Amino acid sequence: DTGVSQNPRHKITKRGQNVTFRCDPISEHNRLYWYRQTLGQGPEFLTYFQNEAQLEKSRLLSDRFSAERPKGSFSTLEIQRTEQGDSAMYLCASSYFGGTQYFGPGTRLLVL
Amino acid sequence: GQQVMQIPQYQHVQEGEDFTTYCNSSTTLSNIQWYKQRPGGHPVFLIQLVKSGEVKKQKRLTFQFGEAKKNSSLHITATQTTDVGTYFCAGTLKTSYDKVIFGPGTSLSVIP
């Protein structure tokens, strides 16, 4: 495996349901980032980890969003009580410290 | 808050014409990165500029970082249909955690 992988690639859910996404970074990378991208916009920073420590969270990340990286490898992003406004592409990226960020293919979420 | 802006938002060119997108930051950047996102795809890293006034070339693409490290440009010479996509600049802020902020992107269409 030479790239960042994300699962699932697509998720359709009903409003009010909880969803969880997974990101597997490039194995040597110690930093992992989550972004949200809506149509016609650039990726918006949500949060990032260095190893297992969550170092920064955007104000965009409401209390319904939580992210974990328990062993410093893969990460999960959970959205509780989804709302239609949560519909977006959720991108994960990884890097070695502050180096180049490599993006995964994203998880496209649609909340009905 | 810190912002990274890009102009134009959209650009339609005839194949063979040149194309330029401009990126401006409200604050001084540690470095700037450029990404390309094809329709339906995820951002793919193109290049990173670090030094004030730096100019780098990749075949028909020329990247420039301003002297004040607050602006950057990407110029494509003699566009081809394979250049179609959205070009994002992403600035790294001088914080303890290397925060990266993406611009909104410039969407390039190339008419054959």
Side-chain angles (χ1 to χ4, degrees), chain B residues 30-44:
Chain B
S30 296
N31 61 59
I32 197 154
Q33 296 137 48
W34 285 91
Y35 292 80
K36 177 182 178 182
Q37 185 172 22
R38 295 183 188 273
H42 59 275
V44 174

Side-chain angles (χ1 to χ4, degrees), chain A:
Chain A
D1 181 15
T2 57
V4 178
S5 62
Q6 290 186 248
N7 288 288
R9 295 290 306 276
H10 301 90
K11 179 71 177 178
I12 300 174
T13 191
K14 292 182 179 179
R15 189 177 53 187
Q17 298 294 304
N18 298 345
V19 294
T20 300
F21 309 141
R22 176 177 169 128
C23 172
D24 287 87
I26 294 171
S27 56
E28 314 88 73
H29 288 178
N30 57 352
R31 288 192 180 175
L32 186 149
Y33 307 79
W34 284 100
Y35 293 88
R36 180 171 65 189
Q37 187 177 27
T38 52
L39 199 61
Q41 300 296 318
E44 291 179 293
F45 170 81
L46 293 179
T47 188
Y48 94 98
F49 295 83
Q50 181 164 302
N51 299 314
E52 65 276 5
Q54 187 172 19
L55 296 186
E56 189 168 350
K57 288 175 61 172
S58 165
R59 294 172 195 171
L60 296 173
L61 219 61
S62 76
D63 292 343
R64 297 184 296 105
F65 288 70
S66 61
E68 293 183 341
R69 195 184 184 198
K71 298 181 180 178
S73 56
F74 74 91
S75 175
T76 58
L77 177 69
E78 182 183 16
I79 309 174
Q80 296 182 326
R81 303 180 303 282
T82 52
E83 302 172 356
Q84 288 183 325
D86 297 331
S87 295
M89 173 77 86
Y90 290 83
L91 292 163
C92 173
S94 70
S95 70
Y96 183 69
F97 287 105
T100 302
Q101 294 187 29
Y102 292 90
F103 282 81
T107 296
R108 187 172 295 280
L109 173 65
L110 177 61
V111 181
L112 301 176

Side-chain angles (χ1 to χ4, degrees), chain B residues 12 18 29 31 46 48 52-53 63 73 81 85 89 107 109-110:
Chain B
H12 305 278
D18 293 354
L29 302 170
N31 61 59
L46 294 177
Q48 176 171 285
S52 169
F63 304 84
S73 64
T81 55
C89 63
S107 177
S109 299
V110 179

Side-chain angles (χ1 to χ4, degrees), chain B residues 4-11 19-24 34 72-74 87 89 103-107:
Chain B
V4 173
M5 303 304 296
Q6 275 184 262
I7 55 169
Q9 187 176 1
Y10 302 98
Q11 184 78 58
F19 159 76
T20 305
T21 173
Y22 300 91
C23 178
N24 288 283
W34 285 91
S72 180
S73 64
L74 158 60
Y87 293 85
C89 63
T106 295
S107 177

